[in-house]
Amino acid sequence: MSGFADCKPDAAIIRRARRGDMKAHEVLYRSYRVAVYTLACRMLQNAATADEILQETSIEVIRKLRTVRDDGAFGGWVKRIAVNKCLGHLRSGWHRLATRPGKDDETGTIVLDGSDEGREAARPGGEMDLERALGLLSPAARSVVWLHDVEGYTHAEIGELMGKTASFSKSRLARAHRRLREMLGDENGDESCMPRSNSYSA
Amino acid sequence: MHATIEQLLGLRDGEATPAEVHDHVEGCDACRRELVRLVRVRDELRSLPPVEPGQTLWESIAVASVGRPSPSRFSWGSAVGVAASFVLALVLITRLTPEPEAPAVPASRMSATPAPAANVSEVVPANDAATVAELQLRSRRLETLRRAMPAGPEVVRASTAGTIADLQDQIAFVDMRLNASQDEALTLAQQRALWRERVNLMQSLVRVEYARLQSPRY
């Protein structure tokens, strides 16, 4: 489950942090650091970048905590900041330079589907664990999977976060799960019953 | 009749799905197996272990977070709060993991150039027992802190600008003497005095520049 569900610091700590108490800010940091770092690692697949995301998120929390009115919403607020930082990084030119060249998908991000690892993973009978398979998805697909299936965002929310529509999020999620099924070597899927396009008919 | 993976995901997540899809899945073994598999994958994703960040990130975050309050929200209370945060950042800087010791400057005799008098109170007393390496480390940390400070206002008081320029000149003079000390013979005590002076000047400079950040806009 999302680590942010456990991020519920004491209201007194939040009040002290709002007044600029750095010791209180450190307590808050300890309450969300693992959730933020995990989110960044899973979405970006790079520990050094995840460090930056955690730092940038923490600095924004310190500087903007006074804008949070509802102490109970602290965890959700931190999650939104971290998600926006991750998505911003994925949209950045630096990220495009850092990823390996491959087929561009419609978002303009780099897709690893055409990579050697992707082909090897899709070999019939080839199996791998879910964590590795998640890492081999394209950044956009991986983001949708993580934000929807783990962090609990709706398709409408994901579409808004990524500057797209809810339909985009749904189709990306479906495509990602098809890809995961191929990589995980699941034999239970019956391709004849699961066409790629929506061909449902009576 | 067949269900698409989009529809199965919708069923899995409790989204609005046509009744015909429900009916089909109930009667189709393959679709039911796929639905169960999608549920299992989601559960496994949620069960992936959390990833722990490094233990020392907080120190750099605390330093980088020091900045001035927005002009519309300036108040003496917030300035005091930020000042306290800055002091804590200074303390945190001194607790950072020590860097590898810098190469020692060879000891030799010093030339007869008198040290310039500092125009601010010294933080490191003359009888402080800190080694050259410790003073060098403190100086580097102050440089790091100064680089982490945000850019100040474009318009400043002439007296403040003058103080900053004077401190920078004094630091440059100390640096010149430290660079020259590699050719001249300096005793260990003389090297310590120079580095002590540099640390004190750096602390004064950081304080003045920090105070400048807290000043209300004109």
Side-chain angles (χ1 to χ4, degrees):
Chain A
M1 288 297 291
S2 168
F4 291 95
D6 297 328
C7 182
K8 295 176 183 175
D10 193 88
I13 298 291
I14 297 177
R15 281 196 298 273
R16 281 172 47 199
R18 238 184 234 121
R19 291 195 292 267
D21 184 335
M22 286 304 286
K23 276 294 185 188
H25 270 297
E26 185 176 358
V27 173
L28 293 182
Y29 168 79
R30 303 256 172 239
S31 75
Y32 63 71
R33 68 188 189 102
V34 174
V36 170
Y37 194 74
T38 301
L39 171 82
C41 281
R42 297 299 181 200
M43 285 181 66
L44 304 175
Q45 298 289 309
N46 184 290
T49 309
D51 279 354
E52 289 178 22
I53 296 296
L54 177 55
Q55 291 191 44
E56 290 173 17
T57 300
S58 302
I59 290 168
E60 188 155 331
V61 167
I62 291 169
R63 290 182 173 167
K64 295 187 179 176
L65 183 59
R66 279 179 292 183
T67 65
V68 178
R69 298 282 176 252
D70 177 10
D71 292 346
F74 176 78
W77 176 67
V78 174
K79 182 165 81 171
R80 270 196 304 280
I81 294 173
V83 167
N84 281 322
K85 296 289 182 191
C86 289
L87 292 176
H89 180 83
L90 289 175
R91 285 189 291 263
S92 71
W94 184 91
H95 172 74
R96 292 197 192 97
L97 284 174
T99 46
R100 286 186 294 158
K103 180 179 62 176
D104 283 353
D105 64 8
E106 60 187 300
T107 66
T109 55
I110 304 300
V111 174
L112 296 179
D113 287 1
S115 68
D116 290 342
E117 287 181 10
R119 281 193 287 275
E120 184 177 341
R123 202 171 46 215
E127 293 185 7
M128 67 170 61
D129 63 28
L130 180 58
E131 192 168 0
R132 179 162 162 73
L134 181 69
L136 290 175
L137 291 176
S138 71
R142 185 169 58 241
S143 297
V144 172
V145 168
W146 194 261
L147 292 176
H148 184 272
D149 285 2
V150 179
E151 297 297 344
Y153 283 94
T154 65
H155 288 300
E157 289 170 333
I158 294 170
E160 189 178 338
L161 283 167
M162 299 180 79
K164 302 286 184 181
T165 62
S167 297
F168 165 85
S169 177
K170 285 183 184 177
S171 67
R172 277 302 162 124
L173 186 69
R175 193 189 304 183
H177 274 285
R178 270 195 292 272
R179 193 77 185 89
L180 286 174
R181 187 176 63 201
E182 291 170 9
M183 288 192 282
L184 293 172
D186 198 302
E187 299 296 336
N188 291 333
D190 185 340
E191 287 294 344
S192 64
C193 197
M194 240 64 65
R196 286 176 179 264
S197 58
N198 189 343
S199 62
Y200 184 83
S201 58
Chain B
M1 294 184 294
H2 305 294
T4 65
I5 197 166
E6 290 89 343
Q7 289 165 334
L8 289 173
L9 286 168
L11 269 178
R12 183 198 70 171
D13 299 332
E15 295 170 4
T17 314
E20 304 86 79
V21 174
H22 280 271
D23 293 341
H24 167 78
V25 172
E26 279 185 7
C28 176
D29 287 345
C31 283
R32 261 206 321 279
R33 278 198 303 273
E34 178 64 7
L35 180 59
V36 167
R37 194 194 67 81
L38 290 172
V39 170
R40 187 183 77 243
V41 169
R42 182 185 61 186
D43 292 345
E44 287 177 9
L45 282 169
R46 291 176 175 178
S47 300
L48 286 176
V51 188
E52 285 273 345
Q55 293 299 319
T56 60
L57 279 175
W58 171 248
E59 282 81 2
S60 56
I61 290 167
V63 168
S65 69
V66 172
R68 64 175 170 170
S70 62
S72 62
R73 290 178 174 267
F74 177 82
S75 68
W76 287 112
S78 60
V80 167
V82 179
S85 305
F86 181 70
V87 169
L88 179 62
L90 270 179
V91 171
L92 288 171
I93 281 286
T94 62
R95 286 170 52 196
L96 284 171
T97 304
E99 297 171 30
E101 189 168 320
V105 176
S108 58
R109 295 193 189 91
M110 188 181 78
S111 64
T113 308
N119 59 1
V120 293
S121 59
E122 288 187 335
V123 176
V124 183
N127 59 353
D128 186 86
T131 64
V132 168
E134 287 166 349
L135 291 167
Q136 288 173 339
L137 182 59
R138 287 179 68 178
S139 180
R140 275 199 294 273
R141 286 171 175 170
L142 285 163
E143 295 278 5
T144 301
L145 182 61
R146 188 164 170 248
R147 276 196 300 273
M149 292 168 70
E154 293 179 3
V155 178
V156 297
R157 287 194 177 95
S159 58
T160 303
T163 301
I164 291 174
D166 187 44
L167 287 168
Q168 288 174 333
D169 286 344
Q170 290 185 59
I171 291 169
F173 184 64
V174 170
D175 287 343
M176 188 175 68
R177 287 163 57 204
L178 284 169
N179 288 334
S181 69
Q182 294 181 4
D183 298 324
E184 300 171 11
L186 284 185
T187 67
L188 195 57
Q190 289 160 348
Q191 292 171 45
R192 279 172 53 196
L194 280 174
W195 278 107
R196 196 162 49 234
E197 186 177 346
R198 193 181 201 281
V199 168
N200 289 339
L201 289 170
M202 277 300 303
Q203 292 209 356
S204 298
L205 180 60
V206 166
R207 281 204 205 95
V208 171
E209 288 191 330
Y210 180 76
R212 181 185 62 159
L213 291 175
Q214 307 312 309
S215 301
R217 285 181 186 276
Y218 289 98

